Amino acid sequence: MDGSADGIKTGRKFDQVLDGARQVFMADGFEGASVDHIARVANVSKATLYSYFPDKKMLFVEVVRQECERQAQEAEQMINSDLRPEDALRIAARRLTGFILSDFGQKVFRICVAESDRFPDLGRRFYESGPMTVRARLKAYLSNAADRGQLRIDDLDLAADQFAELCKADLFLRIVFNIDTAFSEADISRVINGAVETFMARYGA
């Protein structure tokens, strides 16, 4: 069994525990999820669960981190240096909006907001594990495109943040406040195309 700096240990039933935790957190929220219930759904003992994760908070953060890492890796695999920035950014925007509008993305966001007063570091850990991971991948692509002369960017951090915010335009607040629960392909494409066109108007070479 291997350990990490956070006290999380990996082993034979690590993925099994994570899968059970993901199901329970998404159904019951962070506060409503009990370690006993997670252990039952994962089909492991509570002792086994605690042998991997020191507390429920660490377990939640790892569930989110792995999902965000998977999303980031899939986006990175789809983007290569042969693509024009317009095409690469459109792919990235599709992944970003897909995550933002997904059931998982919405539930995780609401859990972090709901628990922010009692567990202020929960939101920080989610931000570092999720949005910061995606931001780093996007920043790396933008840096490479700038080196190739395809983009003109002085502040890569700001540019990456701006693009991510452009991808949320209109859609994010409407779904957060339950004004809409789903969007048509036309709605999503409108925001994605607008994000890419606005970004390229500002940073295109």
Side-chain angles (χ1 to χ4, degrees):
M1 187 175 284
D2 300 321
S4 74
D6 287 330
I8 297 173
K9 296 180 176 63
T10 58
R12 185 169 57 87
K13 295 187 177 182
F14 183 79
D15 291 338
Q16 189 174 326
V17 171
L18 278 181
D19 184 58
R22 188 184 193 281
Q23 294 179 52
V24 175
F25 283 134
M26 294 306 99
D28 300 341
F30 179 80
E31 182 60 24
S34 71
V35 173
D36 287 327
H37 188 194
I38 292 171
R40 284 198 303 273
V41 172
N43 197 28
V44 299
S45 68
K46 194 156 70 167
T48 296
L49 188 151
Y50 278 126
S51 72
Y52 293 119
F53 296 93
D55 57 41
K56 186 172 73 169
K57 196 185 310 182
M58 290 288 191
L59 181 52
F60 174 74
V61 170
E62 183 62 16
V63 167
V64 174
R65 188 196 69 76
Q66 289 212 358
E67 178 66 18
C68 292
E69 179 67 17
R70 184 182 68 80
Q71 294 278 343
Q73 285 179 352
E74 287 181 2
E76 191 172 53
Q77 288 167 4
M78 295 173 68
I79 299 172
N80 62 67
S81 59
D82 295 331
L83 292 175
R84 299 181 308 153
E86 294 93 330
D87 297 327
L89 290 171
R90 194 163 276 107
I91 291 170
R94 179 68 62 176
R95 301 300 304 186
L96 282 167
T97 55
F99 181 73
I100 290 166
L101 301 178
S102 70
D103 187 55
F104 180 87
Q106 282 298 300
K107 285 184 176 179
V108 166
F109 175 79
R110 289 190 169 99
I111 288 170
C112 287
V113 171
E115 303 298 333
S116 61
D117 287 339
R118 280 182 298 175
F119 304 107
D121 66 322
L122 188 62
R124 177 184 60 80
R125 286 180 176 275
F126 164 64
Y127 182 75
E128 290 173 351
S129 301
M132 283 295 287
T133 299
V134 175
R135 182 179 186 260
R137 301 291 176 89
L138 180 58
K139 180 181 170 183
Y141 171 77
L142 296 178
S143 178
N144 289 334
D147 289 343
R148 293 192 299 270
Q150 295 174 308
L151 297 172
R152 293 191 304 268
I153 302 176
D154 294 324
D155 189 333
L156 289 166
D157 290 319
L158 178 62
D161 289 338
Q162 287 173 333
F163 185 71
E165 290 303 312
L166 287 169
C167 293
K168 294 163 61 177
D170 189 38
L171 305 176
F172 181 68
L173 289 181
R174 282 164 62 189
I175 204 165
V176 163
F177 292 113
N178 225 19
I179 296 170
D180 293 291
T181 57
F183 298 98
S184 68
E185 176 57 31
D187 290 331
I188 296 169
S189 293
R190 170 176 168 267
V191 170
I192 288 173
N193 291 334
V196 173
E197 290 167 7
T198 301
F199 189 87
M200 292 302 298
R202 170 64 179 84
Y203 293 111

